[in-house]
């Protein structure tokens, strides 16, 4: 079977072992009476990955969630993808080509991050947002320090997803948490009452994946900055500057300007880049803190690889990201696209309609904020059919219908989406 000419190119591209596994799987189906023997090669080809020797499958995100965690959050820009291609080979990630001596690792990405937030005194990058907090907690309040306490409001002891919780993450570093206030209300005096010689830092965490309303109160960054100890603010979603479309979402530049010593954030959310943990220190004390974190032994274990550095630099220095584009596309443009798609699908005999929709940011950003959008509505069964198709399409179920929301999809994907729907509709006789 492996000598069949149709399997020569897949073996070169994907490797003999992967193709062999697909062939033996098809042979098992023949033995079980599920497949005709002459279809073995066809079945093996159908089981192989379409583009790469990996199990990841491309998915069209028609859920209406811009940063879908299960789909890898931010879609990288073309510039970032091209930068990864350069970094995949030998490159000067840690070499000064002018002198031939060792260079500063990731200098391009760090310079781009510093340029994006001019008010920062120094910056550093680790492999995700949780790693950034872990590094700060270990260096400033770990068991090897004389200041093993972190002061944090009870209402900010959040769960960040998949069962992981901020308090457990911080406790795992050996630090002790001093909780203040109540779930819904905290005052400046609550913080001041517990701060002492053993306080490593005050931590303010933006509740980026939920919202508490009603009888509430919190303490601003500006107020917390007057307390004395370093103030670390985890803004979560990765905005570096104000975003008019999300006026309530904190950004690094504003938080530093309000008095934070150090800001931590994620790179694969609203920034629109690869998974990374961003650390930005204020001029003076914050910059000194960043330099201290960079030299900490744990920083080596948390450092990012060359692919991440390349993608991050291109995200920061390059054109607007797909996330930014999706955030700002006019609702009227989405409605026109949905109407055009629905009309074409109806002409092909499908039960399709253009409907208004509401999209969300997702990925732990802008909780409670909805974005006006538009979708193509199909019968409910299409949700399963499209998810199993090639390319896979992920929509959402609403009111007994499968909605294909267009906000997270660029206009150039409409033709692919149309073809994907038609491909799965044919076996169902169109309706």
């Amino acid at each position: 079977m492996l000598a069949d000419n149709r399997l020569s190119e897949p073996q070169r591209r994907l490797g003999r072992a992967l193709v062999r596994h697909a062939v033996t799987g098809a042979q098992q189906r023949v033995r079980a009476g599920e497949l005709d023997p002459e279809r073995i090669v066809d079945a093996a080809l159908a089981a192989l990955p379409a583009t790469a020797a990996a199990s990841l499958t491309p998915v069209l995100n028609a859920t209406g969630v811009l940063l879908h965690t299960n789909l890898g959050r931010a879609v990288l820009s073309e510039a970032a993808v091209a930068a990864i291609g350069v970094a995949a080979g030998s490159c000067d990630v840690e070499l000064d080509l002018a002198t031939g001596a060792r260079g500063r690792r990731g200098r391009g990405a760090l310079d781009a991050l510093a340029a994006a937030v001019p008010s920062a005194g120094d910056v550093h990058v680790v492999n995700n947002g949780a790693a950034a907090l872990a590094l700060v907690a270990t260096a400033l309040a770990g068991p090897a320090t004389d200041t093993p306490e972190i002061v944090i409001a009870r209402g900010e002891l959040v769960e960040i997803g998949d069962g992981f919780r901020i308090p457990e993450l911080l406790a795992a570093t050996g630090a002790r948490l001093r909780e203040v206030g109540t779930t819904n209300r905290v005052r400046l005096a609550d913080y001041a009452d517990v701060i002492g010689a053993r306080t490593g830092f005050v931590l303010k965490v933006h509740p980026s994946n939920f919202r508490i309303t009603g009888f509430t109160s919190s303490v601003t960054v500006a107020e917390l900055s007057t307390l004395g100890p370093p103030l670390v603010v985890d803004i979560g979603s990765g905005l570096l500057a104000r975003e008019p479309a999300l006026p309530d979402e904190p950004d690094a530049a504003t938080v530093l300007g309000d008095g934070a010593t150090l800001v931590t954030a994620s790179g694969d959310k609203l920034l629109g880049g690869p998974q990374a943990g961003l650390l930005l220190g204020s001029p003076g004390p914050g910059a000194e803190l960043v330099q201290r974190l960079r030299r900490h032994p744990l920083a080596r274990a948390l450092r990012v690889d060359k692919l991440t550095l390349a993608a991050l630099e291109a995200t920061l220095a390059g054109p607007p990201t797909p996330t930014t584009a999706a955030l700002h596309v006019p609702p009227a443009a989405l409605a026109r696209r949905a109407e055009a798609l629905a009309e074409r699908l109806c002409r092909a005999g499908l039960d399709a309609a253009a409907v208004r929709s509401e999209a969300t940011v997702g990925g732990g950003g802008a909780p409670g904020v909805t974005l006006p959008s538009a979708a193509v509505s199909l019968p409910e069964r299409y949700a399963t059919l499209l998810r199993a198709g090639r390319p896979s399409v992920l929509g959402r179920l609403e009111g007994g219908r499968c909605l294909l929301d267009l906000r997270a999809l660029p206009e150039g994907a409409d033709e692919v989406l149309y073809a994907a729907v038609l491909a799965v509709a044919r076996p169902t006789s169109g309706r």
Side-chain angles (χ1 to χ4, degrees), residues 50-419:
T51 56
S55 60
L56 292 176
T57 300
V59 177
L60 291 180
N61 178 10
T63 63
V65 181
L66 271 59
L67 302 169
H68 199 299
T69 298
N70 302 129
L71 297 180
R73 291 184 181 158
V75 174
L76 294 181
S77 66
E78 292 183 6
V81 173
I84 289 175
V86 173
S90 296
C91 59
D92 58 339
V93 65
E94 212 166 324
L95 176 70
D96 186 334
L97 290 175
T99 64
R102 183 170 184 164
R104 182 172 62 125
R105 182 180 179 84
R107 58 195 177 277
L110 295 173
D111 290 346
L113 180 56
V117 189
S119 57
D122 202 355
V123 298
H124 187 56
V125 178
V126 292
N127 53 26
N128 65 16
L133 274 182
L135 179 59
V136 175
T138 302
L140 299 188
T145 69
D146 295 326
T147 53
E149 294 182 352
I150 301 171
V151 179
I152 183 172
R154 284 191 174 88
E156 297 173 8
L157 298 173
V158 304
E159 182 172 311
I160 55 180
D162 197 25
F164 290 97
R165 298 171 173 175
I166 289 290
E168 294 172 356
L169 170 70
L170 297 174
T173 68
R176 177 186 175 190
L177 300 184
R178 291 296 300 271
E179 303 171 15
V180 297
T182 62
T183 301
N184 58 319
R185 294 180 67 85
V186 63
R187 302 177 179 83
L188 184 63
D190 295 326
Y191 290 90
D193 287 344
V194 301
I195 288 175
R198 293 174 60 80
T199 302
F201 62 94
V202 175
L203 175 61
K204 184 171 180 62
V205 177
H206 173 56
S208 57
N209 55 9
F210 69 96
R211 176 177 291 179
I212 298 177
T213 60
F215 186 58
T216 65
S217 68
S218 60
V219 184
T220 66
V221 172
E223 292 172 317
L224 292 175
S225 68
T226 66
L227 293 173
L231 173 59
V232 178
V233 181
D234 177 29
I235 62 173
S237 63
L239 278 182
L240 300 185
R242 283 197 179 278
E243 170 51 70
L246 304 171
D248 295 329
E249 196 71 7
D251 64 277
T254 300
V255 170
L256 285 171
D258 287 344
T261 312
L262 184 72
V263 173
T264 64
S266 296
D268 59 346
K269 297 181 181 178
L270 286 171
L271 179 61
Q275 177 179 294
L278 313 180
L279 297 114
L280 305 101
S282 64
E288 294 173 3
L289 177 55
V290 170
Q291 293 165 16
R292 179 177 167 186
L293 296 174
R294 186 181 292 121
R295 293 191 298 267
H296 193 277
L298 187 59
R300 172 74 182 199
L302 302 178
R303 81 175 190 178
V304 294
D305 73 329
K306 61 180 181 177
L307 304 182
T308 300
L309 290 170
L312 179 60
E313 179 180 359
T315 297
L316 292 163
T321 67
T323 299
T324 299
L327 195 61
H328 290 280
V329 61
L334 295 172
R336 287 193 296 269
R337 290 169 54 193
E339 289 165 4
L341 276 169
E343 182 180 348
R344 292 178 66 189
L345 292 170
C346 285
R347 288 201 302 266
L350 276 67
D351 174 11
V355 297
R356 292 181 179 180
S357 177
E358 287 190 343
T360 59
V361 172
V369 175
T370 59
L371 305 168
S373 187
V376 174
S377 172
L378 296 168
E380 184 174 355
R381 67 176 180 275
Y382 277 86
T384 301
L385 294 171
L386 287 166
R387 195 171 62 247
R390 285 197 177 185
S392 176
V393 179
L394 191 65
R396 73 173 187 268
L397 293 176
E398 191 172 296
R401 300 281 288 183
C402 171
L403 298 191
L404 304 180
D405 193 295
L406 300 181
R407 182 167 281 278
L409 291 171
E411 186 172 358
D414 288 357
E415 193 63 37
V416 180
L417 181 62
Y418 171 74

Side-chain angles (χ1 to χ4, degrees), residues 21-31 35 39-41 43-44:
H21 180 73
V23 170
T24 57
Q27 290 173 329
Q28 289 292 343
R29 292 176 60 191
V30 171
R31 296 186 185 104
L35 185 71
R39 298 293 306 280
I40 287 179
V41 174

